[in-house]
Amino acid sequence: MKPVAGIHNPKAAAFAEHRHEKVCAKCHEGAGPGMGSYVIHEKRPWSQQTREDFPALYWSTVFFLALAGGVFIFFMPYTTVWAWREARQHWENRHEKRKEPEKRVLVERFTRSERWMHTVLVISFMALSVTGVAWMYIETGLGKTLALPFGGGDGAVWVHRMFGLFLMTIFTAHVVYLIRSALVGKKGYLSGPDSLVWTWSDFKAVHQHMSWLFGRREHPVFDRWSWWQKFDYWAVWWGLLIVGTTGLLMFDSVLTTSVLPGWMMNVARWVHKIEAILAMAHIFVVHFFIESYRPSAFPLNAHIFHGAAELEALEKEHPAWIERMRAEGKLEERIVTQPPRAVQIVFFGFGLSMVALGLLLLLGMLFFAVDLSF
């Protein structure tokens, strides 16, 4: 049997000096010396050996695992107590009579452009989630099943990349729009009650809402946005910046390694994976809880789809906004009619199908994780 030369042997194909020529270039035409530093079959990124041999991968992975853990260490107990508090409140008020649907006053909560933007975001996110999970789990039954509509793993990766580029384009356009709006002096984008920028009052609202959960204080008075709606908005920013940047680095490995060392691809791949899992878990558990699972929103908060919310509900959850609209004489302008029954069915059907798909993906990832080796 012919002996296999080790990677430190100059005659070995995988020797650092000519690895890009004799190994990388066989699959990646035009691979340069930078790609030679890509670590093939790296050890578990959180292992002690990785900490010693590949500290960049170790510390970036540990940081993002800590970030993901921190988000869920806060939100899981928080949403659990929130569900209990609302369930108890609904039980205490179970004998109160609600108005008939046709008699309820509806207020425009979201503009047409905001609803379209959210719908595009939902479709893109779910497409990226399905194709991303398909590729990540491609060696399992889950991955193979999810990849079928795309013609297999390669097709799923292609669709994933196309939706990734599309979403980053939309995000860039949104950022340009906000900057332009701020520069031309449009009110409400960076400051004021309509702004999504966090202020000190939002931090106080977190504390007050936590106190309300345990019956210690009154429910905080929100204007147009609650603190968790602002959190979700900025979470999209940080998620897209991280997942988008790492995704672009992996889009063309030859181009990337012509500028950056190959080991950056290892770091990008793990950061991309962890942040993507964090985003899916947060959306499918926390965001869906707030907008669908909790008693006051169950079975679905469809405001973001048809744009209108009941005045009675808004007076309870966003009283400061309603009072401000009344004081400014703008509330009447926002009164809208109930959408046709068929339209409501379409909105609820779409929203509930996204919730169901998200839950199935999450459960599938947990169930088939035993077949994977991180």
Side-chain angles (χ1 to χ4, degrees):
M1 183 180 288
K2 198 172 183 179
V4 178
I7 62 171
H8 299 297
N9 188 329
K11 295 182 179 180
F15 184 64
E17 295 293 326
H18 49 239
R19 185 183 301 157
H20 66 284
E21 274 183 287
K22 297 187 177 182
V23 179
C24 304
K26 289 185 177 180
C27 296
H28 303 277
E29 187 178 347
M35 190 175 283
S37 67
Y38 177 79
V39 181
I40 303 170
H41 305 307
E42 79 270 25
K43 303 294 181 183
R44 294 174 185 269
W46 48 81
S47 68
Q48 184 61 32
Q49 186 174 347
T50 301
R51 181 177 181 176
E52 295 170 0
D53 299 339
F54 200 165
L57 178 60
Y58 174 84
W59 288 111
S60 60
T61 303
V62 167
F63 173 80
F64 279 96
L65 286 175
L67 174 65
V71 168
F72 284 96
I73 286 172
F74 174 79
F75 274 107
M76 291 311 292
Y78 194 100
T79 53
T80 300
V81 177
W82 193 352
W84 170 81
R85 180 73 168 85
E86 283 205 0
R88 180 180 170 185
Q89 191 173 50
H90 273 249
W91 176 257
E92 292 171 352
N93 300 332
R94 65 188 183 280
H95 298 302
E96 286 186 7
K97 289 185 178 180
R98 294 195 67 195
K99 294 179 181 178
E100 294 298 323
E102 60 273 9
K103 295 181 180 179
R104 296 171 192 166
V105 178
L106 293 180
V107 178
E108 184 185 50
R109 182 90 173 94
F110 300 100
T111 64
R112 187 185 296 272
S113 61
E114 288 168 342
R115 283 154 25 213
W116 273 109
M117 180 66 75
H118 182 266
T119 302
V120 168
L121 181 63
V122 169
I123 293 171
S124 300
F125 183 83
M126 295 309 295
L128 287 166
S129 297
V130 170
T131 53
V133 173
W135 179 246
M136 198 187 329
Y137 284 72
I138 198 62
E139 296 178 1
T140 72
L142 173 66
K144 290 180 174 65
T145 301
L146 291 175
L148 273 177
F150 311 105
D154 291 341
V157 171
W158 186 85
V159 173
H160 189 83
R161 288 177 171 180
M162 291 305 102
F163 268 99
L165 288 175
F166 173 71
L167 190 55
M168 288 304 294
T169 302
I170 296 297
F171 175 65
T172 302
H174 178 64
V175 173
V176 170
Y177 171 74
L178 291 180
I179 293 172
R180 180 178 174 276
S181 298
L183 291 176
V184 299
K186 283 189 178 181
K187 294 181 179 180
Y189 284 93
L190 297 179
S191 61
D194 288 315
S195 173
L196 282 160
V197 177
W198 273 67
T199 63
W200 179 242
S201 63
D202 293 303
F203 290 98
K204 292 193 292 186
V206 176
H207 178 262
Q208 186 173 344
H209 193 253
M210 291 177 71
S211 299
W212 171 80
L213 293 178
F214 293 98
R216 292 182 158 189
R217 297 181 67 179
E218 293 295 317
H219 193 283
V221 175
F222 294 121
D223 203 281
R224 187 174 182 190
W225 310 111
S226 60
W227 74 263
W228 56 82
Q229 289 167 335
K230 289 187 177 184
F231 178 90
D232 278 354
Y233 174 77
W234 290 106
V236 172
W237 276 64
W238 105 49
L240 282 177
L241 286 172
I242 295 169
V243 176
T245 302
T246 52
L248 288 173
L249 288 177
M250 294 186 291
F251 196 92
D252 188 333
S253 56
V254 174
L255 177 61
T256 298
T257 54
S258 68
V259 180
L260 300 171
W263 58 262
M264 284 291 292
M265 298 285 289
N266 295 86
V267 175
R269 183 167 61 86
W270 275 99
V271 169
H272 189 86
K273 182 186 293 188
I274 295 169
E275 179 60 30
I277 292 173
L278 168 60
M280 286 188 287
H282 180 78
I283 292 295
F284 301 156
V285 177
V286 178
H287 183 70
F288 282 1
F289 163 80
I290 294 172
E291 303 301 341
S292 187
Y293 311 149
R294 64 186 173 115
S296 61
F298 188 83
L300 180 75
N301 184 344
H303 303 170
I304 192 62
F305 297 113
H306 59 61
E310 294 174 16
L311 177 60
E312 186 180 358
L314 289 173
E315 286 176 329
K316 291 179 180 178
E317 201 153 278
H318 297 274
W321 184 55
I322 295 300
E323 286 306 311
R324 182 161 60 88
M325 291 297 100
R326 283 199 177 105
E328 295 174 358
K330 296 179 180 179
L331 184 60
E332 292 299 320
E333 300 173 11
R334 288 182 172 270
I335 302 298
V336 295
T337 57
Q338 189 79 256
R341 187 69 176 169
V343 174
Q344 293 182 55
I345 292 172
V346 170
F347 287 142
F348 268 85
F350 175 74
L352 289 174
S353 66
M354 293 299 100
V355 171
L357 178 58
L359 286 176
L360 287 173
L361 278 177
L362 190 62
L363 291 173
M365 290 170 69
L366 291 171
F367 181 79
F368 284 93
V370 295
D371 294 343
L372 293 175
S373 174
F374 260 16

